Amino acid sequence: MINALRGMKDLTFEESERFMHIVATATTVAKKYGYEYIETPILEETKLFKRSVGESSDIVGKEMYQFMDKGDNDVCMRPEGTAGVVRSFVQAKLDRRQNEKFKFFYYGPMFRYERPQKGRLREFHQFGCESFGEASVYEDFTIITMIGDIFKELGIGYDLQINSLGCPECMPPYKENLIGFLTECKDELCEDCNRRIGTNPIRVLDCKNEKCQTLLTNSPKLMTNLCESCDRDFKKLTQLLDNAQTSYEVDTHLVRGLDYYSKTAFEFVSNEIGAQSAIAGGGRYDKLVEFLDGKPTPAVGFALGMERIMDLVQMPELEREGYYLGAMDEEAIDTLFPLASAKRATQKVSVEYAPKKLKAHLKNADKVNARYCAVIGEDEHKNGTIWVKDLVKKEEATISQSDF
Ligand code: HAM
């Protein structure tokens, strides 16, 4: 038997309903905020992710579904959505329309070769939004508010964590400072952290090792070393969140696993789904468009993890809907089709093609959650009528086929 690959899942029945419900809810909210749908390829050149997500990130270093295609191109299944959207933005020359703002939303599969566990898949789905051309921190606040709206609509609780990752003015001197601190205590830091001092020292800050975290309590903090502009923006963001009575926690160790962020970074976490608790993450990435050969364009965005959110969403109980049509003998089946087509103009309709006893038809109507079970038996066929039962009101009637 051939099974789906490890860390990859089929979605059916109630699960796929929940999936569609999340997409529909997030889409409705995103459209209210002015976002338009963008679809980009799942397969991209590997160098796109190396340059954007960053060579030293775990995603690029260890987790990419990367291969040479038949034309000897080095390609990669996208591990996230932002890089492709930015590539598309630059390719379509939207970066040259400097006075315009562009807002895109997307959803679809992402691939990371991680160790599968609860909440962590190798193929997972994101819903994301990317806003281009808006440098104001009001946009960061608006995006955070939009995610809050999506979760409110879905009936999901969360904690919000925010941080500032500075900019090319204040990050490099801070990094030097941090490397100095880390080098001094390197013998006590874990192996991973030691490797990161040389490759990506900022990532040391969110090491999951308890001993490392204890050592890091005394590390220099970027929050107290931000340049004037980053400091002003971060203070404004917290003020906007305070005014909106949105609760949040400033987490100075929140660095995100992708290298393209500057200034605002945030994560939404849930305490109801175990260790893999981040349900959405994002931030500002003002340098990425330029990094991918576009004109400097400020940008901010986020993505939410659909599977993790599926674990949290309670679906409303489905109400009975539409019609189930069946016949009790072969001859009446053809009579069903025109009746079904006419009904389908306004209603959900299922048709059974095999003749069955009434009891079997009623059972089938139940299985498809139909509101009405309509059956043509021998008498009905002869008289040009159809028997209809309302399965909610438990009322039944025989009516003329022309009135059906
Ligand atoms: P990310 O934090 O890597 O950000 O992923 C966003 C969300 O995807 C996570 O919060 C999590 O819910 C979900 N996720 C990540 N990895 C997995 C996995 N292996 N299995 C299940 N769910 C997962 C990004 O990808 C950025 N592109 C977000 C962004 C958009 N930043 C700016 N714009």
Side-chain angles (χ1 to χ4, degrees), residues 53 59 63 79-83 106 110-112 114 117 119-126 128-130 256-258 260-261 266-268 273 276-285 300-309:
V53 178
I59 296 179
E63 299 166 3
E80 59 103 48
T82 310
Y106 54 88
M110 310 292 159
F111 300 83
R112 295 183 192 174
E114 296 190 80
Q117 64 181 85
R120 193 201 269 158
L121 290 150
R122 286 180 174 168
E123 180 187 23
F124 60 98
H125 297 76
Q126 288 184 345
C129 286
E130 314 293 351
R256 313 271 301 123
L258 309 98
Y260 48 63
Y261 293 108
F266 56 81
E267 269 182 10
F268 286 71
I273 49 169
Q276 301 307 316
S277 59
I279 51 175
R284 189 162 269 288
Y285 51 94
V300 55
F302 76 95
L304 46 85
M306 302 267 298
E307 283 81 0
R308 292 183 191 171
I309 290 162

Side-chain angles (χ1 to χ4, degrees), residues 21-165:
H21 173 62
I22 296 167
V23 172
T25 306
T27 299
T28 305
V29 174
K31 282 187 173 170
K32 279 193 187 144
Y33 280 80
Y35 284 79
E36 293 173 88
Y37 185 62
I38 186 170
E39 175 85 30
T40 65
I42 287 170
L43 207 59
E44 297 268 7
E45 276 194 73
T46 299
K47 65 173 182 252
L48 170 65
F49 302 110
K50 286 195 171 164
R51 248 209 265 167
S52 54
V53 178
E55 299 241 25
S56 60
S57 67
D58 281 354
I59 296 179
V60 169
K62 305 191 214 163
E63 299 166 3
M64 298 233 280
Y65 276 85
Q66 181 187 354
F67 58 95
M68 302 305 287
D69 73 6
K70 289 186 168 57
D72 244 0
N73 303 298
D74 187 353
V75 295
C76 183
M77 312 266 281
R78 63 183 182 195
E80 59 103 48
T82 310
V85 173
V86 175
R87 196 256 323 121
S88 163
F89 178 80
V90 175
Q91 189 174 339
K93 301 189 173 53
L94 300 180
D95 57 319
R96 300 191 191 170
R97 291 158 62 174
Q98 287 279 312
N99 296 323
E100 291 178 62
K101 318 260 161 81
F102 296 94
K103 295 178 201 288
F104 298 112
F105 76 91
Y106 54 88
Y107 67 95
M110 310 292 159
F111 300 83
R112 295 183 192 174
Y113 197 86
E114 296 190 80
R115 195 173 52 77
Q117 64 181 85
K118 182 171 157 44
R120 193 201 269 158
L121 290 150
R122 286 180 174 168
E123 180 187 23
F124 60 98
H125 297 76
Q126 288 184 345
F127 179 97
C129 286
E130 314 293 351
S131 164
F132 295 95
E134 187 54 84
S136 165
V137 70
Y138 281 95
E139 188 71 345
D140 310 26
F141 167 72
T142 303
I143 281 218
I144 290 173
T145 309
M146 171 165 71
I147 305 168
D149 285 359
I150 294 173
F151 290 152
K152 190 169 165 216
E153 287 294 317
L154 291 170
I156 289 178
Y158 57 82
D159 292 318
L160 168 63
Q161 299 169 344
I162 58 169
N163 192 18
S164 175
L165 294 174

